[in-house]
Amino acid sequence: MYLEVGGSGGIASLNYENTFKQYERSSLTWSAGISGFYIDRNAGFFFVFPVALHYLYGPGKHKLEAGFGQGITLGVKGSFFLQSIPFLGYRYQPEDKKVFFRATYTPLVSYLIDLQYRHWFGLSIGLQL
Amino acid sequence: MKKFPPHFLPRHLAFLLLTLCMIACGKQSFENYPDSLSDDFEAAVNQETLFKAEGGKWSAPQLTEGDNNLFPDTSRAHSGNQALFCTAAPSVDGASKCSIFNNELSLEEGKIFHFSAWYFLEGTQSVDYLFLADLEERTTVGASPGVRIALEDSVGYLVMERNKINASTLYQEEGNRVAFPRDKWVHLEWEMDLQRKEKGSVRVWQDGQLLITASGIKNMPRDRLYFAQGTKGIYSNIEVGITANTKDSSVRLWVDDVEVWLE
């Protein structure tokens, strides 16, 4: 589990991550998170679900992290939208500690109507369950 | 590794393709709307006949407070026999609105937007942040972002507010500001090179005098994190009247000879 401030979930998100492939120097994981925000009484409340695949490279506690996913937005009044959420960053994850940290470059890329690219960043603190 | 059943990918791919098609069709539908509008308010006989359902040119009213009201009025007219009359209470809990809008326009990025209308603002009361005209884009996710013409300060100086597109307000040149005249017909003209990036322009005239000019600016919304998603570079909505009233005073306003067009 990790809490990300900024990042692929927008302002902040709570994410669950699971390793599904472990190699000698790298691993593959998937994550699914949740975030939300309120716009106004006309537009209402929106949920954001960032889902992604992560590639982690590094034999020790210092890892390069890269990945790709989708930020799924669902409004309580029926709105739906998708954005791509690629990311690249650094993860500090000691094997003997439960806590880990991430710092990532997390641009948001709209593509459904036209291509719009916005720079964004994220900082995470996580707990290995 | 879990194996998915053979029909899994085609079924979910079909859903994704259908979603993409629906969203793409949403953009196409706005591109088929007209890019101009004009109304001298001579044809309407009551409030209902201002709107398309009764043969008028506007989509609907925005009336937020109980006593806010608007109707075609023969007591004042810039041209012809009548003008649109709007009266609104002060904005206390949220915006007090008394306006009409057309949300079936197609004002596209890259074109030159022109707006012309005559306003009669009655009285000498404070009109700090009385909004007179709004342009809005309908987005899949968001609060209908766009730009607005307002009067700022108790005296009332024209400004162009861009808060909803995450940009600064454009003001008249300090030291040379001209107040919005009261108790007379005033011609407001608004011209923009519509752009989502910092390469657009704005000019606003009051009674033929150029008061606001800016270039190398954006005047249309773009997608912003998750707060605004699905912007298309097309303004679909124009709103005129008391689009949001000042907090300070009740306002009585007439509007006449509204024209919107692109070149």
Side-chain angles (χ1 to χ4, degrees):
Chain A
M1 296 282 294
Y2 62 88
L3 174 68
E4 183 169 38
V5 176
S8 301
I11 296 300
S13 60
L14 187 62
N15 301 270
Y16 172 80
E17 185 182 23
N18 186 269
T19 302
F20 65 91
K21 275 289 186 187
Q22 185 68 55
Y23 303 100
E24 187 177 340
R25 289 176 173 269
S26 62
S27 60
L28 288 170
T29 74
W30 62 266
S31 69
I34 187 166
S35 177
F37 60 94
Y38 176 78
I39 291 182
D40 59 27
R41 60 183 175 188
N42 291 326
F45 191 87
F46 293 84
F47 290 98
V48 177
F49 303 99
V51 293
L53 288 174
H54 304 238
Y55 174 73
L56 294 160
Y57 180 83
K61 55 189 174 184
H62 303 287
K63 301 180 188 300
L64 173 71
E65 180 172 354
F68 184 83
Q70 293 291 297
I72 303 167
T73 303
L74 289 175
V76 296
K77 296 192 178 184
S79 304
F80 168 78
F81 209 74
L82 291 173
Q83 294 192 80
S84 288
I85 46 171
F87 51 89
L88 178 68
Y90 164 77
R91 180 183 296 217
Y92 177 76
Q93 188 166 351
E95 287 183 3
D96 59 343
K97 297 266 195 310
K98 282 190 174 291
V99 179
F100 64 92
F101 302 92
R102 302 167 68 240
T104 44
Y105 171 60
T106 59
L108 283 88
V109 185
S110 303
Y111 62 90
L112 289 180
I113 291 177
D114 60 3
L115 195 60
Q116 297 189 46
Y117 184 98
R118 283 140 292 146
H119 300 291
W120 196 234
F121 300 89
L123 292 173
S124 307
I125 181 166
L127 188 67
Q128 296 186 78
L129 301 174
Chain B
M1 189 90 165
K2 181 179 178 180
K3 288 188 178 178
F4 294 106
H7 59 268
F8 179 87
L9 185 60
R11 180 184 299 171
H12 288 76
L13 186 60
F15 172 75
L16 180 60
L17 289 174
L18 178 63
T19 303
L20 294 176
C21 183
M22 287 169 65
I23 293 170
C25 290
K27 181 177 184 184
Q28 182 65 35
S29 65
F30 279 109
E31 293 172 346
N32 294 330
Y33 284 144
D35 61 5
S36 63
L37 168 70
S38 66
D39 197 351
D40 58 9
F41 303 104
E42 295 301 305
V45 298
N46 53 33
Q47 186 187 104
E48 288 71 31
T49 53
L50 288 165
F51 305 111
K52 291 183 179 182
E54 298 290 335
K57 299 191 178 185
W58 303 88
S59 300
Q62 290 251 37
L63 292 166
T64 54
E65 303 295 323
D67 291 332
N68 289 7
N69 199 8
L70 59 86
F71 49 84
D73 182 29
T74 56
S75 69
R76 293 190 200 284
H78 171 254
S79 71
N81 298 311
Q82 56 188 31
L84 174 70
F85 171 68
C86 306
T87 180
S91 293
V92 177
D93 293 317
S96 172
K97 300 172 71 70
C98 182
S99 59
I100 55 177
F101 67 88
N102 182 312
N103 63 1
E104 293 181 325
L105 293 173
S106 181
L107 307 174
E108 290 186 46
E109 184 179 21
K111 301 285 177 64
I112 307 296
F113 162 81
H114 296 272
F115 173 88
S116 169
W118 290 82
Y119 289 82
F120 189 109
L121 178 58
E122 184 179 89
T124 58
Q125 72 278 32
S126 171
V127 290
D128 187 36
Y129 280 100
L130 162 65
F131 288 84
L132 301 176
D134 291 12
L135 275 172
E136 293 179 353
E137 174 167 0
R138 195 185 307 172
T139 53
T140 308
V141 176
S144 298
V147 295
R148 306 189 283 178
I149 294 291
L151 299 179
E152 177 245 3
D153 193 274
S154 58
V155 173
Y157 299 103
L158 278 175
V159 299
M160 190 178 103
E161 188 240 50
R162 301 189 295 158
N163 291 356
K164 287 189 170 186
I165 64 168
N166 202 34
S168 60
T169 298
L170 302 177
Y171 297 94
Q172 300 182 38
E173 184 182 352
E174 194 62 41
N176 291 317
R177 296 194 297 174
V178 179
F180 196 85
R182 310 292 190 99
D183 297 316
K184 69 181 286 285
W185 284 103
V186 179
H187 190 198
L188 172 62
E189 296 171 273
W190 183 15
E191 176 191 284
M192 293 193 290
D193 177 3
L194 296 174
Q195 296 289 342
R196 289 187 282 177
K197 294 187 178 178
E198 309 283 348
K199 54 179 184 175
S201 66
V202 172
R203 292 195 290 179
V204 180
W205 294 262
Q206 176 181 287
D207 283 338
Q209 184 176 5
L210 180 63
L211 295 183
I212 299 172
T213 179
S215 59
I217 55 109
K218 65 176 180 179
N219 47 42
M220 298 191 89
R222 288 173 56 83
D223 285 7
R224 185 163 65 95
L225 286 184
Y226 289 100
F227 301 118
Q229 298 180 59
T231 59
K232 299 171 283 295
I234 302 175
Y235 277 128
S236 57
N237 189 89
I238 184 105
E239 186 177 345
V240 299
I242 303 170
T243 65
N245 197 15
T246 175
K247 295 178 184 177
D248 300 337
S249 320
S250 298
V251 164
R252 288 164 55 89
L253 177 78
W254 286 259
V255 185
D256 205 357
D257 297 321
V258 174
E259 293 182 79
V260 175
W261 73 98
L262 297 182
E263 66 169 307

